[in-house]
Amino acid sequence: MAERGMVEVMKKIRAFLISALFLVSALNLSGCSSEAKESFFAMNTFMNFTVCGENPEAALEKVKETVTELERLWSVTDSGSDIYKINHTAGQPVTVDERTAALISFALDMADKTEGTLNPAIYPVLKAWGFTTGENRIPSPEEISALLTLTDYEKVQFSGCTVTLPEGMMLDFGAVAKGYTGDILAEQLKAEGVSSALLDIGGNIQAVGARSDGEYWRVGLRDPFSDGILGTLQISDLAVVTSGNYERYFIGEDGKSYGHIIDPESGYPADNGLMSVTIMGKSGAYCDALSTALFVMGYDETVRYWLEARDFEMIIVCADGSVALTEGAKKLFISEGEYEITVLK
Ligand code: AMP
Ligand code: MG
């Protein structure tokens, strides 16, 4: 068990180093007159913030305080959090903070829009696979079918700031909370008069404005097949969020790899020929919700979804090594390395 914990910690450190590496060019060349940078661990992930402006230390301190507040509200494991109360008082109405109510409302709305491929009620299944504790196992098909009956998000009763869950159901906003946090922090920074900042929230990128010298922020797009990058994204005032089952997974006793993003229809980790889905758009919450949902949908459905919505850009990396990206994403992306690229129009 200690060994597993150690492996988890090593994985987190490695992920942190990789994300830090990606941002090196942006951080070194930010061109700030005055700049504050900080890396810290919160919401079960590493965060890396760069804030430029008149008094960047104070602004950075304020957004860090907000992260702590949101973590207290949204942690699944902290017994004082809104989410914990909802999950452990099933059958009873629970009154939550306005920000929690807004998060729940957003996630349920996105669940509807994505036909339940984003499912904030998937937690009982996620738990059975051990992704909540790190003690992974392959549940039996019977166990999965029984647990799937507890994942109907339409049964969440929700009005104003009051939430009631049916007995046995549990909510988890791991697929949207980081992106949602990015939006809140970006708004807060702008209200503080900051017009240039780069927030890396466990790999979810939220850029406020451009670099203070007017250049784009440069962010590496992770190669899901290696520790390297597929290319660089040049962004300003934009969120970039990636989902993939290479990020957190375990190898089962059958030798197969099982990832942390669950297909809510089957109760098994999504395994549909996609390696990663990266979504870009103005709202971090929207990008975060979509990256998870579209990763579950698979290639054809993902492309169909984009063709209908067209209010975000995306880059899809397939298991055969090919890459598909929207026209808008192509304008932001400088590819490195050799792979087949399809441009979606
Ligand atoms: P992300 O990294 O944003 O794609 O979110 C993945 C996290 O969301 C997982 O670690 C789980 O906590 C949770 N999750 C897994 N599958 C789903 C799903 N289909 N819908 C909603 N949340 C999910
Ligand atoms: Mg997500």
Side-chain angles (χ1 to χ4, degrees):
M1 222 152 76
E3 214 168 280
R4 261 204 202 120
M6 198 59 202
V7 170
E8 281 296 308
V9 171
M10 291 305 287
K11 274 189 192 160
K12 279 175 183 162
I13 292 173
R14 204 184 67 146
F16 172 65
L17 290 175
I18 290 167
S19 83
L21 178 77
F22 287 178
L23 298 174
V24 160
S25 53
L27 299 183
N28 284 344
L29 302 170
S30 60
C32 274
S33 48
S34 181
E35 169 184 283
K37 287 184 205 175
E38 204 163 325
S39 303
F40 55 99
F41 192 79
M43 294 185 167
N44 209 21
T45 192
F46 284 100
M47 306 208 176
N48 202 323
F49 292 179
T50 301
V51 176
C52 307
E54 290 298 311
N55 190 356
E57 286 84 9
L60 200 148
E61 208 42 52
K62 283 190 182 157
V63 286
K64 269 188 75 183
E65 279 165 21
T66 304
V67 169
T68 308
E69 276 171 37
L70 298 179
E71 182 174 23
R72 280 206 196 110
L73 291 176
W74 299 342
S75 162
V76 199
T77 48
D78 175 353
S79 61
S81 85
D82 278 351
I83 305 303
Y84 189 94
K85 279 184 222 153
I86 296 170
N87 287 348
H88 293 83
T89 327
Q92 302 288 325
V94 175
T95 303
V96 296
D97 186 277
E98 274 176 7
R99 288 166 293 182
T100 308
L103 173 75
I104 296 175
S105 164
F106 170 77
L108 292 175
D109 184 42
M110 288 307 293
D112 273 340
K113 287 196 171 115
T114 60
E115 296 179 357
T117 48
L118 178 86
N119 184 348
I122 198 68
Y123 197 73
V125 175
L126 200 73
K127 212 170 153 204
W129 284 95
F131 285 111
T132 56
T133 56
E135 290 178 36
N136 296 109
R137 58 186 269 273
I138 305 172
S140 70
E142 294 74 27
E143 188 181 351
I144 290 177
S145 338
L147 290 173
L148 281 177
T149 63
L150 300 171
T151 62
D152 183 356
Y153 68 88
E154 289 183 341
K155 290 191 180 151
V156 179
Q157 290 172 37
F158 179 57
S159 152
C161 284
T162 306
V163 190
T164 315
L165 273 190
E167 206 70 52
M169 283 184 66
M170 290 180 114
L171 300 180
D172 156 39
F173 298 93
V176 291
K178 285 190 275 169
Y180 206 93
T181 300
D183 285 342
I184 291 177
L185 303 187
E187 279 312 309
Q188 187 179 4
L189 285 172
K190 285 178 194 164
E192 292 288 324
V194 171
S195 56
S196 173
L198 191 68
L199 309 175
D200 177 355
I201 305 171
N204 283 32
I205 303 293
Q206 188 91 34
V208 174
R211 282 182 358 195
S212 59
D213 61 1
E215 292 290 317
Y216 289 113
W217 295 108
R218 296 198 180 92
V219 179
L221 180 72
R222 168 90 188 265
D223 177 356
F225 298 101
S226 77
D227 284 349
I229 61 170
L230 285 175
T232 308
L233 286 159
Q234 305 203 89
I235 58 166
S236 72
D237 228 2
L238 203 72
V240 182
V241 182
T242 299
S243 285
N245 265 345
Y246 67 92
E247 289 174 322
R248 263 178 72 202
Y249 64 92
F250 73 98
I251 306 292
E253 281 168 7
D254 56 3
K256 283 195 204 152
S257 166
Y258 295 96
H260 68 133
I261 301 174
I262 307 288
D263 178 346
E265 208 170 289
S266 66
Y268 282 79
D271 180 16
N272 51 27
L274 298 189
M275 287 302 285
S276 70
V277 174
T278 297
I279 306 290
M280 283 147 282
K282 290 289 173 203
S283 156
Y286 188 54
C287 294
D288 201 358
L290 284 181
S291 70
T292 311
L294 270 53
F295 182 78
V296 170
M297 283 182 202
Y299 188 86
D300 292 344
E301 278 299 298
T302 289
V303 172
R304 200 181 56 80
Y305 194 94
W306 176 75
L307 285 170
E308 268 179 31
R310 285 190 184 268
D311 57 358
F312 60 94
E313 304 299 338
M314 68 176 178
I315 304 178
I316 307 169
V317 182
C318 301
D320 65 5
S322 64
V323 173
L325 80 185
T326 56
E327 264 187 308
K330 188 168 179 274
K331 289 185 189 140
L332 310 173
F333 187 57
I334 302 168
S335 152
E336 282 171 32
E338 296 197 353
Y339 40 87
E340 186 192 317
I341 295 185
T342 306
V343 180
L344 304 165
K345 294 181 183 174

